[in-house]
Amino acid sequence: MKAKDFDKKFDEGKSIVKHLDLSKARRSEQEQKRVNVDFPIWMIHSLDKEAKRLGVPRQSIIKIWLAERLQQVSA
C-alpha cells in the first residue's frame, strides 16, 4: 500500500491496523528493566497487607506508589 493511500484511509477514520506490523511496536519509555531493591521486613509486611487488601500483587503497589510520588515531585 502506498503512503498516500494509507494516509487517506487513516484520515477517513478507517482501520489501518491490518496494514501495520505490530510485532515490534513499543510504547515510548514503557519498556521494563528489572532492578533489585532491599526493603526492611516491616515494610514488606506493610506492603503485603495493603496488596492483599486491594487484591493486587506487592509489585503493583510498589509501582503505583512510586509512580504517584514521581508525578508529585515532577509537577
Side-chain angles (χ1 to χ4, degrees):
M1 169 178 281
K2 293 185 178 186
K4 183 175 88 173
D5 297 330
F6 183 86
D7 291 343
K8 183 179 177 189
K9 267 189 151 181
F10 178 81
D11 292 340
E12 292 172 350
K14 296 180 181 173
S15 177
I16 55 169
V17 175
K18 66 180 180 181
H19 303 289
L20 301 173
D21 177 10
L22 301 176
S23 65
K24 295 181 183 172
R26 299 283 183 261
R27 293 182 66 185
S28 175
E29 300 210 16
Q30 296 296 317
E31 290 187 42
Q32 307 237 343
K33 178 175 176 139
R34 183 171 303 276
V35 296
N36 295 320
V37 181
D38 295 326
F39 293 106
I41 296 295
W42 69 266
M43 201 178 286
I44 297 293
H45 291 309
S46 296
L47 287 166
D48 288 345
K49 184 178 176 183
E50 184 65 8
K52 183 177 181 181
R53 186 182 75 79
L54 296 173
V56 297
R58 178 194 306 151
Q59 185 176 15
S60 296
I61 293 290
I62 295 169
K63 285 181 181 181
I64 290 167
W65 287 352
L66 282 173
E68 288 173 352
R69 180 65 177 155
L70 290 169
Q71 286 176 344
Q72 287 176 1
V73 297
S74 68

